[in-house]
Amino acid sequence: QQQVKQSPQSLIVQKGGISIINCAYENTAFDYFPWYQQFPGKGPALLIAIRPDVSEKKEGRFTISFNKSAKQFSLHIMDSQPGDSATYFCAANLGYEGSNYKLTFGKGTLLTVNP
Amino acid sequence: KAGVTQTPRYLIKTRGQQVTLSCSPISGHRSVSWYQQTPGQGLQFLFEYFSETQRNKGNFPGRFSGRQFSNSRSEMNVSTLELGDSALYLCASSFTGYNEQFFGPGTRLTVL
């Protein structure tokens, strides 16, 4: 059972454009929602994360928008650059209460930013 | 502060062999998790250890096992390797296991 659904599978954006990746979750007990960036041959790197009590979090060009009622969250990359070309994964964690100590990942989005 | 380190980075084994992978977490982190990454299945949770205790295990056969030492370093072992075990094996560390997890570079295992 896939508990975190990510879309699109791939995304092509022009330099300077906005990249938007969406995720939807099923388990309302999820309490922590990180995004990871992975370059070929590397491990995933934690990019930005949000908790359900916040609707938006911004760090530099990266913004997470969170809609608790819709059980959806998204990553926005503003002013996308060729160096942002990577695979992005959303994930979810149960948090302190009832934690099972694991991240449940989406399937990933391959982002290509054309120069 | 040094990141998560994994050794070896690459391994080539043949079917039926066994393999041991090692992970050293970020200093001060007591939780170590292991994930398998494949193109078809994505990132799948294998198991998590905290203070030498396995707290959770994913849906993998018993051929996959792990342990954690008193210094928080962890190893995972795969016995009787199958072709389908070819994957990138990732280790992640965190303070508690239910907040930020930081990944190592992974070990690329190829089973021939």
Side-chain angles (χ1 to χ4, degrees):
Chain A
Q1 180 190 9
Q2 186 187 355
Q3 296 191 48
V4 179
K5 294 184 179 180
Q6 183 172 347
S7 63
Q9 280 188 314
S10 62
L11 180 62
I12 299 175
V13 174
Q14 291 300 119
K15 178 182 175 182
I18 302 174
S19 304
I20 301 174
I21 304 170
N22 300 298
C23 283
Y25 62 97
E26 300 169 5
N27 190 342
T28 55
F30 283 142
D31 187 59
Y32 172 71
F33 302 87
W35 284 89
Y36 285 85
Q37 177 191 58
Q38 186 176 29
F39 293 104
K42 306 288 186 182
L46 180 61
L47 197 57
I48 186 173
I50 198 167
R51 296 196 184 272
D53 54 347
V54 177
S55 61
E56 186 175 282
K57 184 175 181 180
K58 183 177 181 179
E59 290 185 3
R61 295 184 295 109
F62 300 91
T63 299
I64 300 179
S65 297
F66 188 85
N67 187 330
K68 188 174 181 178
S69 60
K71 294 187 287 185
Q72 295 176 347
F73 58 109
S74 60
L75 176 69
H76 295 235
I77 306 175
M78 312 300 288
D79 187 27
S80 298
Q81 299 297 311
D84 297 330
S85 297
T87 300
Y88 292 81
F89 294 93
C90 62
N93 189 315
L94 287 175
Y96 179 73
E97 293 294 332
S99 179
N100 59 4
Y101 314 108
K102 75 173 191 179
L103 287 168
T104 300
F105 283 90
K107 291 292 189 183
T109 296
L110 178 61
L111 171 65
T112 303
V113 181
N114 287 329
Chain B
K1 198 173 188 180
V4 178
T5 59
Q6 292 187 245
T7 57
R9 293 294 312 278
Y10 303 93
L11 267 177
I12 299 176
K13 293 286 187 179
T14 57
R15 280 180 299 174
Q17 288 186 308
Q18 74 165 15
V19 67
T20 298
L21 314 181
S22 180
C23 171
S24 292
I26 293 170
S27 178
H29 286 190
R30 295 166 64 188
S31 168
V32 174
S33 301
W34 289 89
Y35 292 82
Q36 181 196 64
Q37 185 176 26
T38 60
Q41 298 299 316
L43 283 146
Q44 292 190 294
F45 173 78
L46 280 157
F47 27 66
E48 188 265 359
Y49 289 88
F50 184 86
S51 293
E52 303 179 66
T53 299
Q54 185 183 90
R55 297 192 295 188
N56 194 12
K57 187 179 192 302
N59 189 27
F60 279 83
R63 302 184 296 106
F64 292 81
S65 63
R67 59 178 176 169
Q68 186 181 36
F69 302 96
S70 59
N71 61 358
S72 294
R73 191 177 68 85
S74 178
E75 290 181 346
M76 67 164 283
N77 183 277
V78 188
S79 62
T80 319
L81 284 166
E82 301 178 359
L83 295 178
D85 297 333
S86 294
L88 180 66
Y89 289 88
L90 293 159
C91 165
S93 81
S94 76
F95 280 112
T96 60
Y98 47 81
N99 50 15
E100 294 88 349
Q101 294 192 21
F102 299 92
F103 283 84
T107 295
R108 172 71 64 185
L109 173 64
T110 302
V111 182
L112 303 176

